[in-house]
């Protein structure tokens, strides 16, 4: 039976394919009592699954790339040990024998007992082993269900005709998809600028998030259409609908090919103003896509994704340095703006848990996030700063600091950058002494108190995703308030316009690197407000460039002034339409 689901469009285009459901195994387990005669065969089922996971871990160990971080091998060893541990194995078997729980139930019960026990442990390192146990149990449960332990396993039929359907995907898990080919994504949760959505967009494939109950209503292998332009998911479409969407898909592919003709032309408006279009990246290798798209540099390297795949510790200086150097070398002399770690809120790190109250923070988006966390961990922060500074020898590097609001935070940060330089001097290690330091303007207080920033920093970058979140007091990752997430709210537009105007007046370069920069419907508006530097995901670059090439700054002045003078939503929309028509 055909039916349609509605969600939030996050990555443009049309995808047609079969549903590939990713369910967290732990949420799905059956609970039932077995007959006494089934006890031994149930234990046998457990042993077989345990064996299978052993083979999986051995295969993972054997497949580790030579340059894989050394911790990877250690994690796999820890997981193998847990898989044999009596606390897990013997106790689970006892539950099967004494209570006659099916094995999945027994495992979940035992994990809960262990979790309670672990929560009481003082030692942070030991407490972190809880996550390892949960991951091992997850693997065993998947083995019992006949699925693979990996989130995505190419060997189990994932292929380029598949559309991933999940309740939610953590940003770190999303990174797995960078090496897999899928047609599209659908998730039950998420907002337009949640980090999961941003990574989905960075993969350049159609996606819809906040499609409530999608993972419950869509079955494995269902034929589905994802309309990433409108956030619509059509399940089991009628032939005529399928035909219509196939047609639209081929039209879009044609459109994309046509955009390629702009790739090598200079980016300037009809009146001759040069506009700089840069790329946002999450991993060093993404720099290739940046170069391919014709970007003039990297305007935002979200380094936290390097940290997120480190389950129990943060990467050492050498590993970070190698990653930053790689991105800088791939950009071949073009500037690379490296943002210091921005973790917290919807991008927690495993190593943040415990001790510091992060996990128990009532509102992590307002808590120890981004620079606040870095300043609370000066050792970690200095390590990152040294690694970034060292990479500056290999090209043009800029340092960008997220979430600054207070003068003393800026001063403390600049002091630490000076200290990192002194440490490198003492060790006789080279760096660019003139490396520029900039701030993200993403908290309303920062925009309003702009002189604090203009006086202290070399450049600014407006992070519209967070600026909208904090101006309108809505969680950008929460789909229940997604309808209130409005880039065109007059308060947001005024903060952006004010920042652009004041920075220009002070002669401080300013860019926009939030998702607004990559939305072609807003290009004219931003140009009219005076923006000359945009940074966006590479997949958006050519479509934004097309808008720049057809714009004339003088004719944008009046309609953009009208947008800024409007407060009623209809008036803002009407004025915006006039911006599009000039
Ligand atoms: C932003 O907030 O606009 C931004 C670019 O940073 P992030 O999306 O990583 O928070
Ligand atoms: Mg931000």
């Amino acid at each position: 039976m055909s039916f349609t689901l509605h969600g939030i469009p996050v990555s443009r285009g049309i995808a047609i394919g079969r549903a590939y459901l990713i369910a967290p195994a732990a949420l799905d387990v059956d609970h039932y009592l077995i007959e006494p005669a089934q006890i031994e065969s149930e234990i046998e089922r457990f042993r077989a699954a345990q064996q299978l996971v052993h083979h999986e871990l051995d295969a993972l160990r054997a497949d580790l790339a030579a340059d894989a971080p050394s911790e990877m091998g250690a994690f796999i060893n820890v997981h193998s040990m847990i898989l044999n541990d009596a606390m897990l194995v013997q106790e689970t078997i006892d539950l099967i024998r004494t209570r006659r729980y099916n094995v999945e139930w027994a495992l979940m019960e035992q994990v809960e007992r262990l979790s309670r026990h672990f929560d009481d442990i003082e030692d942070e390192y030991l407490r972190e082993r809880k996550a390892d146990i949960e991951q091992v149990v997850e693997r065993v449960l998947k083995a019992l269900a006949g699925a693979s332990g990996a989130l995505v396993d190419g060997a189990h039929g994932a292929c380029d005709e598949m559309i991933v359907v999940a309740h939610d995907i953590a940003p770190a898990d999303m990174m797995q998809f960078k090496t897999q080919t899928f047609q599209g994504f659908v998730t039950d949760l998420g907002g337009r600028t949640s980090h999961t959505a941003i990574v989905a967009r960075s993969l350049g494939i159609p996606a819809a998030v906040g499609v409530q109950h999608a993972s419950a209503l869509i079955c494995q292998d269902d034929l589905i259409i994802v309309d990433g332009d409108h956030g619509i998911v059509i399940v089991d479409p009628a032939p005529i609908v399928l035909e219509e969407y196939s047609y639209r898909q081929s039209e879009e592919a044609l459109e994309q090919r046509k955009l390629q003709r702009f790739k090598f032309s200079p980016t300037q408006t009809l009146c001759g103003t040069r506009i700089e279009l840069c790329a946002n990246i999450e991993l060093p290798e993404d720099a290739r896509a940046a170069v391919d798209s014709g970007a003039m540099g990297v305007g935002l390297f979200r380094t936290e994704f390097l940290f997120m795949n480190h389950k129990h510790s943060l990467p050492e200086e050498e590993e970070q340095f190698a990653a930053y150097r790689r991105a800088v070398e791939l950009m071949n002399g073009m500037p690379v703006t490296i943002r210091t770690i921005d973790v917290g809120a919807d991008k927690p790190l495993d190593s943040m848990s415990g001790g510091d109250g992060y996990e128990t923070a009532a509102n992590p988006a307002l808590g120890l996030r981004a620079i606040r966390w870095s300043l609370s961990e000066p050792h970690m922060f200095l390590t990152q700063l040294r690694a970034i500074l060292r990479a500056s020898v290999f090209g043009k590097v800029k340092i960008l600091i997220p979430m600054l609001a207070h003068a003393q935070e800026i001063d403390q940060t600049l002091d630490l950058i000076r200290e990192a330089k002194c440490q490198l001097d003492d060790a006789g290690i080279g760096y660019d002494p003139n490396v520029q330091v900039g701030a993200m303007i993403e908290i309303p207080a920062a925009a309003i108190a702009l002189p604090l920033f203009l006086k202290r920093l070399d450049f600014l970058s407006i992070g519209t995703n967070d600026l909208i979140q904090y101006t309108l007091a809505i969680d950008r990752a929460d789909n229940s308030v997604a309808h209130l997430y409005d880039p065109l709210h007059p308060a947001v537009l005024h903060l952006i316009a004010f920042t652009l105007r004041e920075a220009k007046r002070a002669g401080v370069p300013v860019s926009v690197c939030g998702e607004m920069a990559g939305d072609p419907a807003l290009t004219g508006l931003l140009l009219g407000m005076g923006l000359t530097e945009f940074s966006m995901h590479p997949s958006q670059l050519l479509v934004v460039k097309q808008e720049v090439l057809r714009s004339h700054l003088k004719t944008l002045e009046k309609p953009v002034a009208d947008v800024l003078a409007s407060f009623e939503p209809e008036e803002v929309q009407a004025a915006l339409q006039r911006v599009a028509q000039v």
Side-chain angles (χ1 to χ4, degrees), residues 195 198 302 339 347 369 442 463-466 476 513-514:
H195 285 92
I198 289 173
R302 291 184 164 98
R339 184 176 71 181
K347 293 177 292 189
R369 202 196 136 178
E442 50 186 349
T464 52
N465 307 336
D466 278 315
R476 62 194 263 197
C513 65

Side-chain angles (χ1 to χ4, degrees), residues 46-47 50 83-93:
F46 177 38
R47 292 276 186 214
Q50 192 191 7
L83 193 57
N84 283 334
D85 197 291
M87 282 227 290
L88 186 68
V89 179
Q90 204 43 55
E91 298 288 321
T92 300
I93 291 177

Side-chain angles (χ1 to χ4, degrees), residues 16 225 237-250:
I16 302 174
I225 298 173
I240 183 145
V241 175
L242 194 59
E243 202 173 309
E244 166 67 19
Y245 273 95
S246 304
Y247 173 72
R248 279 181 50 191
Q249 201 180 27
S250 50

